[in-house]
Amino acid sequence: MMAKRDAHTTAFNDYVRALTLDPSDTQALDGFVRSAVLMRRSGDALSWFTTLTADRSPAPLTLVARSKLLAATGSAEEALDVARRASRAEPVTVEAFEQVATLLADAGDTVRLDATVEGLRQIAPHKASSSYFAAVSAFLRGRADEAV
């Protein structure tokens, strides 16, 4: 058990080190969020994000990672606010729209989900996630025949 905890701590610290070098590295951001949640260190990770972005405007993918951490801590509205901010930032990223869509789908908000799906279709028309979230919205509205 102790060896497993040590491995998670090492991974978390390695992700912090990697993000210090390149705060926009998608694999490091994803690993950082996952290890923080796994170790129940979401609060530490959120503080670290604040420190990381204190002297610069955060990149969209950094905001997406922060949104995921907030969602994991139960701060759904704040997570959605941060994800929406990421979706309006430059450069435009599919991941930001996917994070907004995920949070809206979790909340069952089909009206805003449909608008987000349209935005996703505009920036990435051939990406499977736009079809996936359109199907989720149809299913949530009780239109299972449209979801398949």
Side-chain angles (χ1 to χ4, degrees):
M1 181 76 150
M2 186 58 130
K4 189 175 187 179
R5 177 116 176 110
D6 290 344
H8 293 311
T9 300
T10 299
F12 181 84
N13 292 334
D14 286 347
Y15 288 126
V16 168
R17 217 173 353 269
L19 290 170
T20 301
L21 297 171
D22 181 2
S24 64
D25 183 280
T26 56
Q27 291 177 329
L29 284 164
D30 187 54
F32 176 72
V33 169
R34 289 173 188 267
S35 64
V37 170
L38 182 66
M39 293 179 54
R40 294 185 172 93
R41 289 185 62 184
S42 296
D44 293 340
L46 288 168
S47 295
W48 186 83
F49 270 126
T50 301
T51 301
L52 176 71
T53 59
D55 61 343
R56 68 186 112 179
S57 182
L61 292 176
T62 304
L63 291 171
V64 170
R66 186 164 196 262
S67 173
K68 289 177 181 180
L69 274 171
L70 288 164
T73 64
S75 301
E77 280 305 312
E78 189 177 357
L80 182 57
D81 289 343
V82 171
R84 284 177 133 1
R85 189 169 143 211
S87 72
R88 292 188 300 269
E90 293 291 331
V92 174
T93 63
V94 172
E95 294 86 355
F97 279 82
E98 290 172 338
Q99 178 65 6
V100 171
T102 297
L103 294 166
L104 293 173
D106 288 349
D109 186 339
T110 58
V111 172
R112 292 192 296 174
L113 177 58
D114 289 343
T116 302
V117 167
E118 283 311 308
L120 189 54
R121 284 183 172 150
Q122 288 176 8
I123 64 166
H126 302 294
K127 187 112 165 89
S129 60
S130 58
S131 296
Y132 167 77
F133 286 113
V136 168
S137 180
F139 183 77
L140 289 170
R141 285 182 276 116
R143 296 183 178 164
D145 57 318
E146 292 177 23
V148 289

